[in-house]
Amino acid sequence: MLKIAKVLVSAEDIESKLAEMGAAITEDYRGKDLLMIGVLKGAFMVMADLARHVRLPIEFDFMAVSSYGAATKTSGVVRILKDLDRQIEGRHVLIIEDIIDSGLTLDYLIRNLGARNPASLKLAALLIKDGMQQVPIDVTYTGFTIPNEFVVGYGLDNVERLRNLPYVAVLEEHLGAEM
Ligand code: PRP
């Protein structure tokens, strides 16, 4: 039985932070043709809710990526499970992530997407784990900095469950990849 130990970021706090981030994105991209790229699966919820606070005619696309198994999670080698539907050359691209931990997934994505010659390439992330990045990641729109705990909810899973929690929480115990 999975029990929530504590709520780390409430639904209300997420909502007001996304409203702030959405307002900033609206200002920064006014007059530009914005393409939001969500990194599946975790980013689906933040992408949907953040986009509702952006008052611009956004185009959406998605990528699905996976690291090569738990043992190589820190290798930075990322496998593309689903690539973008369309080319991004000359586009103003904003990558949307739920969480940045080691930063290796985004480091790979920034290099991969950057090589496709977008007009601009920026990042928005709801959560950043404090001090855990192995590579420097320049995040333009940040939600919350959180401690290094295993978090679930609001897109984040525990063995593919609990993504639908409306808040970000810490579990009393979790079924990690090592079990
Ligand atoms: C999570 C998250 C990021 C990545 C961050 O995805 O959505 O993409 O890990 O970790 P990193 O900064 O250490 O690279 P995950 O691989 O768990 O897949 P999911 O989104 O399908 O749950």
Side-chain angles (χ1 to χ4, degrees), residues 133-150:
Q133 288 73 59
Q134 297 178 20
V135 284
I137 299 286
D138 183 13
V139 190
T140 305
Y141 309 99
T142 306
F144 302 92
T145 300
I146 61 168
N148 183 29
E149 293 189 86
F150 185 83

Side-chain angles (χ1 to χ4, degrees), residues 26 31 37 46 89 104 108 146 168 176:
T26 303
I37 295 178
V46 59
E89 185 168 357
L104 293 171
Y108 170 84
I146 61 168
V168 175

